[in-house]
Amino acid sequence: MMTAATKYGGLVLAPLIWAINTQLGQILPYVDCSRRTYWSLLTSAVAIALAVTSAVVPQASSTQEEARTALFIRHLSVLVGLVFAFALMLQGSHMALERMRTLGAFIFLLMTMRQAAAHGAEGHLFHSEWTIDPWIVTPLTIAALLYGRGSWRLWRRARTSRPVVGKRALCYWAGWLTLAGALVSPLHWLGEQLFTFHMIEHEIIMAISAPMIVIARPAGMFLWGLPDRLRRWMGRTMRRRSAQITWRWLSGGTNATLLHAVAIWAWHAPVLFDAAVSDVTLHRLQHLSFFATAVLFWWSIFWRSHHGVAAWHLFLTMLHTGALGALMALAPRVLYVEQTHAAATWWLTPLEDQQLAGMVMWIPAGTIYAGAALAMAALWIANAGRGVDHVQRIRPL
């Protein structure tokens, strides 16, 4: 019995963990309210980690020599375990939302921003909304011009593959517009005032803009957007063995996941984060490292990794970013002093602003990673059911 439970943990242990956590969820909130503790959130975090582990870790012992039925059950176990882990994450999110009453203040903030400006709470609130930083606007403009010119040239040449060019262009411009909106629109200026909006900006860059641009695979369009002589030189440079080895190492699944994790955790160290808020050069470097490592991470997910491996890396990223968000949301004191210094202007305490920022990283961003992981796990199981043994990646547009 114990061997079967360990072998098929997703089918046995994950539902059991979910059932236990559900029962604890009926009791622990009362303990938290009476003693001002956070046991309900901590037990949910532990339950999520255990459910993911019970589903994925036993698969390391699987072999291709097993019967197809046994392999299918193993893969089904992974999918079921990840679904229960996702359910646990939603459970924990609900508890966190109930615990964090400051979300009401956040909604109030969104509804009263213009009224605040009209009554002089921040006289220049809507007079300097857009951030026109040459170090940001220039690369965005060059990327837009190169992609636009390259896609137009390919569109004219490609008669039968125009739908592919159109789909890639749709993904690219969705990613480019969200990236430009995060870095140039009033969201960026608000992020300098409130930690909550700063976190929203970062999550748009890493969890929305980067994957959309990666799905579009824009390198070819960029090359076609260059002058002919420069395009041929760039093509020769990209085909060099050293360039290919470097790219394969950077975009490998484990390396890309670790690089992205290091960038996230390093820049969210309070000392570095506050320094980036007060120093524009560090702030640019922070956004560049977030975006660059996110591109490497999502490239490894979509174009380099087996579906099962991609699901594992996505769940690991969901867990460590969720843990970082939980640390910020549950911290008993303000960790980011410089970033939260203007919170009082917006009717929030610095601690409430920090808690809301942690919740943004914990719940919305975690949901994106969890949804992508479930999609990859479903593709993995679908391919296994068809008896596909070779490495599978997502189908190019």
Side-chain angles (χ1 to χ4, degrees):
M1 178 66 182
M2 183 58 67
T3 305
T6 355
K7 190 175 181 181
Y8 307 115
L11 293 173
V12 180
L13 296 179
L16 180 62
I17 293 168
W18 175 80
I20 294 173
N21 189 71
T22 301
Q23 296 304 313
L24 290 174
Q26 306 298 319
I27 303 169
L28 291 179
Y30 296 100
V31 178
D32 290 343
C33 289
S34 61
R35 300 185 180 180
R36 303 181 65 84
T37 57
Y38 298 94
W39 285 109
S40 56
L41 296 176
L42 292 176
T43 53
S44 292
V46 172
I48 292 170
L50 290 176
V52 173
T53 303
S54 68
V56 178
V57 169
Q59 304 310 309
S61 61
S62 64
T63 61
Q64 292 296 330
E65 286 72 25
E66 287 185 276
R68 179 173 293 183
T69 303
L71 282 174
F72 175 77
I73 294 175
R74 278 185 180 273
H75 294 155
L76 181 63
S77 171
V78 172
L79 181 61
V80 172
L82 296 182
V83 167
F84 273 99
F86 186 63
L88 284 165
M89 189 192 72
L90 294 179
Q91 253 182 5
S93 301
H94 175 72
M95 293 178 186
L97 287 172
E98 290 294 326
R99 189 72 177 87
M100 298 299 172
R101 300 296 182 89
T102 51
L103 282 176
F106 180 58
I107 297 173
F108 177 76
L109 164 67
L110 291 176
M111 295 175 62
T112 57
M113 280 166 53
R114 288 196 177 271
Q115 286 83 345
H119 289 84
E122 186 67 34
H124 58 279
L125 175 60
F126 289 95
H127 297 287
S128 56
E129 293 178 340
W130 295 85
T131 304
I132 310 302
D133 183 351
W135 290 90
I136 301 297
V137 174
T138 302
L140 285 172
T141 305
I142 292 174
L145 292 176
L146 285 179
Y147 192 90
R149 184 171 186 265
S151 58
W152 173 246
R153 293 180 69 182
L154 278 184
W155 179 269
R156 294 176 60 187
R157 289 168 175 260
R159 299 293 180 182
T160 59
S161 59
R162 283 184 175 179
V164 175
V165 177
K167 289 177 182 178
R168 290 192 178 185
L170 184 63
C171 291
Y172 176 81
W173 288 115
W176 186 91
L177 287 172
T178 54
L179 181 63
L183 296 176
V184 179
S185 77
L187 178 62
H188 178 77
W189 184 85
L190 287 169
E192 294 177 343
Q193 311 300 312
L194 280 175
F195 195 6
T196 304
F197 284 103
H198 203 169
M199 189 62 68
I200 293 173
E201 179 187 15
H202 289 172
E203 297 308 328
I204 289 174
I205 292 171
M206 294 186 288
I208 297 177
S209 304
M212 293 304 295
I213 290 174
V214 165
I215 290 174
R217 304 183 76 172
M221 300 295 186
F222 287 150
L223 288 176
W224 277 100
L226 294 170
D228 292 342
R229 183 176 298 179
L230 183 57
R231 183 179 75 250
R232 287 191 290 268
W233 178 82
M234 284 294 297
R236 289 193 298 269
T237 303
M238 292 170 65
R239 286 193 296 270
R240 288 179 180 174
R241 181 175 175 80
S242 57
Q244 292 181 359
I245 291 174
T246 302
W247 175 251
R248 281 197 298 268
W249 187 88
L250 289 173
S251 62
T254 301
N255 294 337
T257 302
L258 288 175
L259 287 172
H260 193 41
V262 168
I264 292 173
W265 281 83
W267 280 111
H268 282 89
V271 175
L272 272 181
F273 202 96
D274 280 347
V277 171
S278 55
D279 187 295
V280 66
T281 303
L282 282 178
H283 204 172
R284 293 171 186 149
L285 183 60
Q286 181 191 61
H287 287 167
L288 177 61
S289 60
F290 282 160
F291 180 70
T293 58
V295 166
L296 292 174
F297 171 74
W298 288 105
W299 189 276
S300 74
I301 294 297
F302 291 138
W303 305 118
R304 288 291 307 275
S305 301
H306 184 281
H307 289 142
V309 176
W312 173 240
H313 287 304
L314 282 163
F315 264 101
L316 282 178
T317 303
M318 181 202 75
L319 289 176
H320 79 72
T321 55
L324 179 58
L327 287 174
M328 288 188 287
L330 304 179
R333 60 183 180 85
V334 176
L335 303 175
Y336 303 88
V337 178
E338 183 65 28
Q339 172 63 84
T340 58
H341 77 281
T345 308
W346 303 85
W347 304 284
L348 292 173
T349 67
L351 185 58
E352 287 173 341
D353 189 20
Q354 178 179 290
Q355 289 173 337
L356 286 170
M359 295 294 289
V360 169
M361 174 177 278
W362 190 355
I363 300 174
T367 303
I368 293 174
Y369 291 123
L374 289 174
M376 287 294 172
L379 290 172
W380 178 30
I381 292 173
N383 289 327
R386 292 196 296 266
V388 180
D389 295 330
H390 61 278
V391 173
Q392 288 289 323
R393 304 176 183 89
I394 68 169
R395 182 179 299 174
L397 293 174

